[in-house]
Amino acid sequence: MRCISSEFYARPTVGVARDLLGNILVRLLRCGSSKIKRMSGIIVETEAYGFTNDPASHAYRGLTFRNSAMFGDVGRAYIYFTYGSQFCVNISARSSNVKAGAVLIRALQPLEGIEEMKAFRKTDDILALTSGPGKLSQALNINQSLNGYDVTDPNSELHVEYGFSPALIIETGRIGISRGTDKIWRFIIADKVRQGYLNKYASRKKI
DNA sequence: TCGATGATTGAG
DNA sequence: TCAATCATCGAA
């Protein structure tokens, strides 16, 4: 259970997106004075978002209050609210010569705290718990209050630990966007597609 | 200010 | 296929 350090995120965003597959997103839920509930999942789907080279990126038009986490230290959570009801989780990552960048966590395979996830999601369907960026945020009880959290700190309520190296990775264009669709910046663990850990919307798209 | 728009989801 | 739903952003 070792936390991934900040050097990992200080590399080109697209490579970080690919290399995050197979690692573990961990959510520590503080319930009461001393009790800590641990929830986690294997990262099975990611997308990279860049800067001025990427019209689909929130950072494309420059620094704003919302996207400031994409411009700050690498290895920080960038969490935003969208479509009126959903939160999306990103991790800031970029090489030192680039001003902004982040990796969107699109899907997990539930690992620990599955009963809690069922309660937060209001469903018992394992494959529906974290098979989408909005769903995984709901399952892990993640909201904007976690924006900017250091995911390289093992004591952080949201952090990433080492997992395994996937045998086969699928690369596709990003989905749910209208611009920048030519960039092959979406990454998926091949086995997890077959096992059903990606959402239906994602499966409908070309893989 | 104000209107348009989403890195989505669940229901029909 | 389509509505829900609201923070954010750029134009006015």
Side-chain angles (χ1 to χ4, degrees):
Chain A
M1 297 296 189
R2 200 157 60 84
C3 216
I4 297 182
S5 60
S6 61
E7 293 79 48
F8 176 90
Y9 303 100
R11 300 181 294 134
T13 311
V14 176
V16 174
R18 166 187 263 274
D19 294 343
L20 271 174
L21 293 179
N23 293 300
I24 316 296
L25 183 69
V26 180
R27 170 80 165 108
L28 301 180
L29 216 50
R30 303 191 188 284
C31 27
S33 52
S34 58
K35 275 200 300 187
I36 293 180
K37 182 63 196 179
R38 188 182 159 95
M39 309 171 75
S40 70
I42 302 168
I43 298 171
V44 301
E45 180 183 5
T46 62
E47 283 179 356
Y49 285 88
F51 184 34
T52 53
N53 62 333
D54 181 11
S57 174
H58 285 173
Y60 182 59
R61 295 175 186 279
L63 176 66
T64 66
F65 181 75
R66 176 175 70 158
N67 67 22
S68 58
M70 291 182 72
F71 290 80
D73 295 339
V74 297
R76 301 302 179 104
Y78 167 43
I79 296 167
Y80 65 91
F81 186 68
T82 191
Y83 288 108
S85 56
Q86 314 296 332
F87 292 100
C88 291
V89 178
N90 302 250
I91 297 173
S92 62
R94 64 183 188 279
S95 52
S96 57
N97 61 328
V98 179
K99 285 192 164 50
V103 176
L104 171 68
I105 310 299
R106 285 197 61 92
L108 304 174
Q109 174 180 347
L111 213 55
E112 303 165 277
I114 291 179
E115 290 311 310
E116 286 74 13
M117 293 187 199
K118 288 178 178 176
F120 284 126
R121 289 278 298 125
K122 298 182 170 59
T123 177
D124 286 339
D125 182 356
I126 295 288
L127 298 180
L129 290 182
T130 54
S131 54
K135 295 180 196 175
L136 72 89
S137 298
Q138 187 180 33
L140 299 183
N141 195 33
I142 292 170
N143 59 44
Q144 213 139 7
S145 71
L146 296 179
N147 187 50
Y149 270 52
D150 184 356
V151 302
T152 68
D153 177 0
N155 296 314
S156 176
E157 291 182 31
L158 188 66
H159 65 264
V160 182
E161 298 176 1
Y162 282 102
F164 67 97
S165 296
L168 184 62
I169 292 172
I170 298 172
E171 308 184 350
T172 79
R174 296 169 296 177
I175 61 177
I177 56 174
S178 55
R179 294 169 301 173
T181 52
D182 57 311
K183 298 187 187 310
I184 309 302
W185 285 1
R186 175 171 173 242
F187 303 95
I188 302 163
I189 299 180
D191 288 345
K192 305 306 177 186
V193 181
R194 182 164 39 74
Q195 294 166 14
Y197 289 108
L198 271 62
N199 68 30
K200 293 177 194 155
Y201 176 62
S203 304
R204 276 203 295 271
K205 300 286 180 175
K206 62 169 183 177
I207 288 179

